[in-house]
Amino acid sequence: MNDLAKQLPQMSGDLFVTDGGIETTLIFDYGIDLPLFAAFPLLATEDGREALRRYYRSHASVAAAHGTGFVFESATWRASPDWAQKLGISQEELIALNRCSVSVMAELREEFPGLRSVLSGCIGPRGDGYDPGEIMSPEEAEAYHADQIRTFATTEVDLVTAITINNTPEAIGVVRAAKGQGLPVVISFTVETDGRLPTGQTLGAAIREVDLRTENGPAYFMLNCAHPDHFRETLRTGGHWRNRIRGIRANASRLSHAELDEAEELDDGNPAETGRDYAELRELMPQLVVLGGCCGTDHRHIEQVCLAAKDRQTAA
């Protein structure tokens, strides 16, 4: 464990939950239009900020009720230069919105004084989370993500988390940029229905490569944007590398990424089933301590995760 990782309370082994699929919840449950699937422009208006507060409260309340920790993950998954340009947002506005995202979370944390929590600055891929497209070099990725990470370094964040990363050069660049700012960093990989990255690389090879080329830079790794059925066998048969995985943000749906792209209705799966799936994964890998959701999940799924964790603990 590197020195930056030691600063994080979730490294103690206590259970922390986080939020679900913020974009799908805002679109399908709250009825909010999100051009380019980007939530961060909501931070520019009071109505938008209040919608985000409502969203975070619904999840933090679950953690508080069940006695777990909570990771406040900022609504900045697409708050990076290329996406901002497509949305007509200037660099100055982008910096202000990234800072505002942390301020909103910091204010909300004050509403839950007994809740053990951390603030995470969320980073997304430069391109599509499902399709690696034109892959940058690690040096290009470090330069691209450096501005957003540098902005987070001026705020109250405890770490940065790169979510839906689908190739190792970009992951390496993010880790190097975060280390350069003295921030702990988590890499969450997108996997396909076969448990591999969209590039075709195996999960184990990806984790080993990032660790090798960053001197074990990530505090830990996570998996996201896939149903547990898609990666359970990969984890069950994995080697020592799987000990580096400490978090899961799974989809509610068993659909592939291509099918989800075409779907016009939300597939929110079965929250109770999500809870059972997570409990089974934690039996397989007890070091899984950060549990949240991705597409189609919301506070109901996180509550079932908490309930299932309690049931397994009682049974033990």
Side-chain angles (χ1 to χ4, degrees), residues 36-101:
L36 298 182
F37 215 54
F40 78 93
L42 295 177
L43 292 155
T45 68
E46 181 52 36
D47 285 348
R49 290 190 292 272
E50 186 52 40
L52 292 172
R53 292 185 192 104
R54 174 187 169 197
Y55 172 79
Y56 287 120
R57 285 189 189 107
S58 69
H59 290 81
S61 296
V62 169
H66 293 279
T68 71
F70 188 71
V71 179
F72 283 94
E73 194 72 60
S74 66
T76 52
W77 176 63
R78 284 204 156 152
S80 64
D82 282 10
W83 294 102
Q85 184 178 33
K86 292 175 183 177
L87 290 161
I89 294 171
S90 71
Q91 178 66 13
E92 293 74 18
E93 291 169 326
L94 180 61
I95 291 171
L97 292 173
N98 271 295
R99 286 179 176 156
C100 180
S101 72

Side-chain angles (χ1 to χ4, degrees), residues 1 10-11 220-221 244-248 287-290:
M1 186 186 305
Q10 61 266 46
M11 301 304 288
Y220 54 89
F221 291 85
R244 292 284 281 134
I245 301 173
R246 285 178 171 258
I248 302 287
Q287 80 275 12
L288 291 175
V289 293
V290 180

Side-chain angles (χ1 to χ4, degrees), residues 30-208:
Y30 291 17
I32 298 173
D33 182 35
L34 297 182
L36 298 182
F37 215 54
F40 78 93
L42 295 177
L43 292 155
T45 68
E46 181 52 36
D47 285 348
R49 290 190 292 272
E50 186 52 40
L52 292 172
R53 292 185 192 104
R54 174 187 169 197
Y55 172 79
Y56 287 120
R57 285 189 189 107
S58 69
H59 290 81
S61 296
V62 169
H66 293 279
T68 71
F70 188 71
V71 179
F72 283 94
E73 194 72 60
S74 66
T76 52
W77 176 63
R78 284 204 156 152
S80 64
D82 282 10
W83 294 102
Q85 184 178 33
K86 292 175 183 177
L87 290 161
I89 294 171
S90 71
Q91 178 66 13
E92 293 74 18
E93 291 169 326
L94 180 61
I95 291 171
L97 292 173
N98 271 295
R99 286 179 176 156
C100 180
S101 72
V102 181
S103 296
V104 168
M105 296 191 303
E107 291 167 5
L108 281 170
R109 178 159 64 174
E110 298 301 314
E111 296 182 14
F112 298 89
L115 180 63
R116 194 180 187 195
S117 63
V118 293
L119 305 185
S120 173
C122 183
I123 294 169
R126 184 174 190 173
D128 191 308
Y130 294 164
D131 181 2
E134 185 176 344
I135 296 176
M136 296 179 286
S137 69
E139 292 74 23
E140 290 169 329
E142 180 178 0
Y144 178 78
H145 291 290
D147 284 348
Q148 187 178 19
I149 293 173
R150 192 177 299 114
T151 298
F152 283 139
T154 67
T155 71
E156 298 179 57
V157 297
D158 301 296
L159 74 157
V160 294
T161 303
I163 292 179
T164 69
I165 301 300
N166 55 38
N167 66 89
T168 52
E170 188 161 20
I172 292 164
V174 169
V175 173
R176 290 175 178 171
K179 289 177 68 177
Q181 293 298 317
L183 285 171
V185 58
V186 172
I187 296 294
S188 188
F189 280 126
T190 295
V191 293
E192 296 286 354
T193 56
D194 60 1
R196 292 173 177 255
L197 273 63
T199 58
Q201 186 177 28
T202 66
L203 181 60
I207 289 173
R208 289 194 298 268

